[in-house]
Amino acid sequence: MMGTVDIFNHKLLDIIFESASYGTVIVDNNGKIQYMSENYCAFINMDREQVIGEYVVNLIENTRMHLVVQTGKSEIGDLQFLKGNFVIANRIPIFEHNKIIGAIGTIIFRDVNEWKEMNRHIQDRLADKNLFKTETENEGNSRYSLHDLIGESPKLIQVKELVEKVAGGKITVLIRGESGTGKEIIAQSIHRLSERSNKPFIKVNCASIPEQLLESELFGYEEGTFTGANKGGKKGKFQIADGGTIFLDEIGDMPQQMQSKLLRVLQEQEFEPIGASFPKKIDVRIIAATNRPLEDLIKEGRFREDLFYRINALQLFLPSLRERKEDIPILINHFIEKYSSEVGKRITTIDEKVYTMLRHYHWPGNIRELENVIEAGVYLAENGHLTIKCLPDYIQSYKTSNQPKSLKEMMEDHERTVIKKTLINVNYDREQAAKVLGIGNSTIYDKIRKYKLFH
């Protein structure tokens, strides 16, 4: 009988363990149950009186508690099938004077999906504090998380929530959105919140690789396939990404021949290197992205319809910056902080006109364009002041009918309209116009010059 457990009676153990959300079992060094929490008893549909003193292997299916008291080795985060559910089990040996006297086991979650959700939550929080570093990230493969998608607009929050929902599993995701909206951030966030986060994240830009090189880049080749081939052959991106995620950016620009080969990867979970005699099995999650209208490309015969339905298992739309302009002030402040640190400048004041001008610009380049504008602005800022003069000329000269006007501007617009209409009515007789308007002749001439109302 295990001496240590005798020190604590069941009432005290209940106080300790029943408040927890997991089930607890304690066995002695013979594998006999000495304690089981009420919630664990309920989970296996037995009363506590029935389990105390019984061999753990007789009551808990797929248990390894009896092995832990023999090996003395802890087993943390093991997936165990119990009562028709997967649970996450921890098993820890108990020592007294360097002798194993028993073991304590817990089932942390009754649903593996709950474990996955918690795992994503933990990784998300670590990423937020820059504490989460994977081996592949150190190699430069994965840098972004959802916290790099800056903004609080309803459309952006909806995107973030969807990313968290789809991150688990292996479902193929198609990310759609204009250039510069952050599609790669989304792809990397899905990878980092998935169970594949400690495996490679490999990006392929389908538009930047010449067509004749794309096949060897994606699928590799065998040794001796062609003159000049690397000794030992070459691994393709799919093989490098095995177990992890491959991100096919600008998939709408993929040549049709490669579309057929990609379809096979999706259907058969295998690929064939150039010059290989047999295909190779692969376990890769595919995330694709495009800023092009794939439906139109299908009608034009430039994109395979069957491939579209394969990659379109789940679509995720990223809003343009024009669709979430309420995020612009937040983004401005974020990029100012980022580039102030990089440049070694301290921006103390930001002209309110900067916010007004940038809020009403149409942003065809989206977030990427805004970031470039702010980076340039920080470099040009003087004495810690960021003014509209620090912004690129094309931003300063941009005008839009949607931009709200000041009271002075509205009054001037009205004055210009009235004077022009009066001049037209009097056949551009300036003195007559001045008389109709009740102003002096010199004043009417000044107004005509100001508003450029020359006939």
Side-chain angles (χ1 to χ4, degrees):
M1 185 67 67
M2 187 168 65
T4 301
V5 173
D6 292 337
I7 300 174
F8 303 99
N9 59 38
H10 280 200
K11 184 175 181 180
L12 183 56
L13 289 172
D14 284 343
I15 293 173
I16 297 171
F17 294 119
E18 289 301 342
S19 61
S21 60
Y22 48 80
T24 305
V25 61
I26 299 175
V27 300
D28 63 17
N29 54 6
N30 294 315
K32 288 188 176 182
I33 297 173
Q34 300 301 307
Y35 171 82
M36 182 177 285
S37 61
E38 288 290 356
N39 50 7
Y40 204 142
C41 291
F43 187 51
I44 64 173
N45 297 319
M46 298 196 75
D47 295 328
R48 181 180 285 174
E49 292 74 17
Q50 295 175 275
V51 303
I52 301 301
E54 289 290 330
Y55 285 106
V56 67
V57 292
N58 295 335
L59 299 182
I60 302 177
E61 58 185 315
N62 301 311
T63 185
R64 291 178 53 84
M65 292 290 289
H66 60 299
L67 300 177
V68 170
V69 294
Q70 296 175 21
T71 65
K73 294 181 179 180
S74 298
E75 297 180 355
I76 305 298
D78 187 34
L79 196 62
Q80 179 181 342
F81 192 75
L82 180 60
K83 290 293 181 182
N85 293 274
F86 279 106
V87 298
I88 305 300
N90 291 336
R91 309 177 189 99
I92 303 172
I94 301 172
F95 290 88
E96 185 177 59
H97 305 305
N98 294 322
K99 180 181 178 183
I100 299 174
I101 59 173
I104 181 169
T106 60
I107 52 171
I108 302 178
F109 302 103
R110 299 181 179 183
D111 185 343
V112 73
N113 289 325
E114 189 177 348
W115 162 253
K116 290 178 180 178
E117 181 65 31
M118 179 62 73
N119 184 43
R120 287 194 291 272
H121 175 76
I122 292 170
Q123 292 183 6
D124 194 33
R125 297 283 75 77
L126 290 176
D128 184 29
K129 298 183 181 299
N130 295 316
L131 297 173
F132 179 71
K133 301 288 182 184
T134 67
E135 181 180 351
T136 53
E137 182 183 350
N138 293 332
E139 296 171 358
N141 292 329
S142 176
R143 297 172 294 153
Y144 300 118
S145 73
L146 273 184
H147 298 282
D148 294 297
L149 202 63
I150 308 298
E152 299 173 356
S153 60
K155 286 189 175 182
L156 197 66
I157 291 173
Q158 188 176 16
V159 168
K160 291 182 178 183
E161 290 175 347
L162 186 56
V163 167
E164 291 176 342
K165 288 179 181 178
V166 305
K170 195 180 176 181
I171 188 170
T172 302
V173 179
L174 176 61
I175 306 170
R176 308 188 74 164
E178 295 179 10
S179 179
T181 49
K183 294 189 288 295
E184 185 173 355
I185 292 177
I186 292 296
Q188 291 196 19
S189 297
I190 292 172
H191 172 74
R192 291 186 63 168
L193 292 175
S194 74
E195 291 74 40
R196 298 170 178 263
S197 58
N198 63 338
K199 298 293 183 179
F201 175 90
I202 303 298
K203 176 188 175 182
V204 179
N205 188 311
C206 301
S208 65
I209 303 173
E211 182 175 349
Q212 61 271 25
L213 299 179
L214 188 56
E215 182 174 3
S216 64
E217 191 70 18
L218 288 179
F219 304 122
Y221 55 78
E222 296 293 299
E223 183 176 0
T225 301
F226 51 84
T227 303
N230 292 341
K231 185 178 180 180
K234 174 188 173 181
K235 286 184 177 181
K237 299 295 188 183
F238 271 92
Q239 191 170 355
I240 296 172
D242 192 21
T245 304
I246 191 164
F247 174 44
L248 301 176
D249 197 11
E250 299 189 50
I251 195 170
D253 294 292
M254 178 177 281
Q256 284 193 307
Q257 180 185 356
M258 290 307 302
Q259 293 176 27
S260 302
K261 294 180 180 293
L262 176 60
L263 183 62
R264 178 180 177 180
V265 175
L266 284 162
Q267 290 176 332
E268 309 297 335
Q269 289 295 294
E270 63 183 25
F271 71 100
E272 197 166 304
I274 300 173
S277 302
F278 303 98
K280 294 184 177 182
K281 284 292 183 183
I282 197 77
D283 173 25
V284 172
R285 182 183 197 172
I286 295 177
I287 299 176
T290 184
N291 60 3
R292 306 190 64 184
L294 296 183
E295 294 83 355
D296 292 345
L297 296 180
I298 291 171
K299 291 176 183 177
E300 296 167 9
R302 296 162 61 190
F303 199 85
R304 293 183 61 117
E305 187 172 14
D306 48 3
L307 176 59
F308 174 73
Y309 290 123
R310 278 285 180 176
I311 64 172
N312 194 35
L314 190 145
Q315 282 198 53
L316 199 156
F317 291 89
L318 262 177
S320 67
L321 190 53
R322 296 182 302 281
E323 297 175 271
R324 56 183 189 101
K325 285 197 169 184
E326 61 266 50
D327 286 333
I328 288 178
I330 300 173
L331 287 161
I332 291 172
N333 294 337
H334 170 75
F335 291 132
I336 285 176
E337 183 179 345
K338 174 182 177 180
Y339 288 106
S340 295
S341 176
E342 287 187 12
V343 177
K345 280 188 174 182
R346 186 183 176 194
I347 304 298
T348 54
T349 58
I350 305 169
D351 192 330
E352 188 61 35
K353 291 181 180 178
V354 170
Y355 290 108
T356 301
M357 185 169 286
L358 297 185
R359 263 199 307 265
H360 296 97
Y361 178 65
H362 65 297
W363 297 113
N366 291 291
I367 315 297
R368 189 182 296 126
E369 183 183 8
L370 175 59
E371 181 172 2
N372 292 338
V373 166
I374 296 302
E375 181 182 12
V378 170
Y379 272 95
L380 296 175
E382 295 180 357
N383 302 318
H385 303 309
L386 185 67
T387 67
I388 57 175
K389 292 182 179 180
C390 303
L391 303 179
D393 291 342
Y394 77 93
I395 295 287
Q396 294 185 46
S397 60
Y398 176 76
K399 299 291 183 182
T400 172
S401 59
N402 294 323
Q403 184 169 340
K405 298 179 179 180
S406 65
L407 178 61
K408 179 183 177 183
E409 288 173 325
M410 288 188 287
M411 291 179 68
E412 288 177 343
D413 283 349
H414 181 67
E415 184 179 59
R416 182 184 187 279
T417 301
V418 171
I419 294 174
K420 183 177 181 180
K421 190 177 293 185
T422 303
L423 285 168
I424 292 172
N425 290 337
V426 297
N427 233 356
Y428 277 83
D429 184 327
R430 292 167 175 77
E431 292 181 4
Q432 181 64 24
K435 186 176 180 181
V436 171
L437 293 169
I439 58 177
N441 289 340
S442 60
T443 303
I444 191 69
Y445 280 95
D446 290 340
K447 298 294 183 183
I448 289 172
R449 280 195 298 270
K450 176 179 179 181
Y451 298 125
K452 299 178 181 180
L453 297 174
F454 306 106
H455 183 49

